[in-house]
Amino acid sequence: MTAPVLFLVVRSGPAAGRVFEVDRQGVRLGRDETCEVRLRDPLVSKLHAEIFVDLFSATFTIRDLRSRNGIQVNGRSVTEANLEAGDELRIGRSRIEVTAASPENRIEGASRSLTALAELARLALEVDPLDSLDAYADRLREATAGCGAAIAVYEEGADKPIIEVYSDINEAFGAKKDTAKMGRPPPGQGTGPMAKSGIVEADEVPLPDIMSIVAQTKQPCLVADVKERADLAADPDVRKGVIQACLGLPLIVEGEFLGVAQIYWSEPGCDSTTRAASEAGASLIALALKRAL
């Protein structure tokens, strides 16, 4: 029997963008550094709550550990409650979505995702991310089995990205790579950490309005079936059937918005395993950009 697994996706709060896996060992949530799900929030107790697993019934239960401010499950204050995919937790300032991956999707995607995300983490340590955004886009696409991925970097207060990079749309469709390049200005020039004068505009970025929505709202935007969006119908890759689903993710570190990562798929839908890999990859990219800036 396959051991049960849930994912906790932090949608808002100090750890926004983080994804935590809850396996048969369970997890503790709180401010303390020993907690598997650490939430650095003064409204969260050191040991705030725990999630434990009943392996016989394959059920997950969250229990309040006598915290100061309690926990909510789907808007209701509880001291203990069963959890399942689709539930929403509120702990301090954090809103946490509970998702689950089917066993077949986990088996199929685990090796690919782990390999690609490990490579992404290595890149974050060993290369200058501002000179290697195309490599990050490639790894993000690999980690999520996408047919393409894009990254946009924003200066503080800017309405439009100053850098846009995206990886190949799946070679099976014969599409060519089109990457926006950047340049480093001489010392003393430029208006910020990256000078706009050094940017060569890309000819086209797939589904740019999804990127704009994420940049404005600072929230993820999933279009599980682009055919249902009339405003996307004019995109050439949508018309050809190359892109059928898209997920845009904000790149945020410690509350600072740095840009947008976007993944495209040639099949509609986005299961929880794929979304978890997407958010994990975006978190690594955000940390690398923070280091570079």
Side-chain angles (χ1 to χ4, degrees), residues 33 61 82 89 96 101-102 123 176 211 225 242 250 271 281 285:
E33 62 183 11
T61 302
N82 288 341
L89 307 179
I96 303 172
S102 66
L123 281 172
K176 130 180 161 175
M211 196 169 281
D225 188 346
V242 177
D271 63 33
I285 293 170

Side-chain angles (χ1 to χ4, degrees), residues 8 27-31 37 39 41 43-52 60-83 87-96 98:
L8 304 179
V27 296
R28 292 176 300 171
L29 302 88
R31 282 190 295 112
V37 180
L39 303 172
D41 179 350
L43 298 180
V44 173
S45 299
K46 285 189 174 182
L47 297 178
H48 197 104
E50 66 176 349
I51 298 175
F52 57 93
F60 293 78
T61 302
I62 187 169
R63 175 187 293 154
D64 191 334
L65 298 177
R66 298 182 177 179
S67 66
R68 285 196 317 274
N69 295 309
I71 56 177
Q72 290 186 354
V73 177
N74 299 325
R76 184 170 60 92
S77 296
V78 299
T79 56
E80 186 171 309
N82 288 341
L83 295 178
D87 286 342
E88 181 180 275
L89 307 179
R90 291 275 184 171
I91 298 178
R93 292 179 293 166
S94 297
R95 179 172 64 88
I96 303 172
V98 180

Side-chain angles (χ1 to χ4, degrees), residues 82-245:
N82 288 341
L83 295 178
E84 57 185 27
D87 286 342
E88 181 180 275
L89 307 179
R90 291 275 184 171
I91 298 178
R93 292 179 293 166
S94 297
R95 179 172 64 88
I96 303 172
E97 179 185 347
V98 180
T99 67
S102 66
E104 58 269 23
N105 283 340
R106 281 180 52 78
I107 293 170
E108 179 182 352
S111 177
R112 178 193 67 239
S113 295
L114 287 173
T115 300
L117 289 174
E119 176 66 7
L120 190 61
R122 184 191 66 78
L123 281 172
L125 293 173
E126 296 183 7
V127 305
D128 184 339
L130 292 181
D131 286 333
S132 305
L133 285 181
D134 54 345
Y136 282 103
D138 284 339
R139 298 302 183 274
L140 187 59
R141 174 175 55 82
E142 293 168 8
T144 59
C147 65
I151 300 171
V153 179
Y154 286 72
E155 278 188 324
E156 184 177 357
D159 295 329
K160 296 181 179 180
I162 59 170
I163 303 171
E164 293 175 333
V165 173
Y166 63 96
S167 85
D168 291 324
I169 298 299
N170 197 318
E171 291 181 2
F173 296 99
K176 130 180 161 175
K177 186 170 188 175
D178 182 7
T179 303
K181 299 297 184 182
M182 79 200 80
R184 297 291 181 85
Q189 295 186 17
T191 59
M194 295 163 290
K196 297 181 182 179
S197 60
I199 308 305
V200 178
E201 295 291 337
D203 294 335
E204 179 187 12
V205 176
L207 308 186
D209 61 339
I210 301 298
M211 196 169 281
S212 299
I213 290 171
V214 176
Q216 291 169 9
T217 64
K218 310 298 188 292
Q219 296 292 326
C221 179
L222 171 65
V223 180
D225 188 346
V226 295
K227 294 192 296 296
E228 296 179 356
R229 286 279 300 269
D231 56 327
L232 302 180
D235 187 280
D237 288 316
V238 173
R239 291 202 306 267
K240 291 184 293 185
V242 177
I243 296 175
Q244 296 197 39

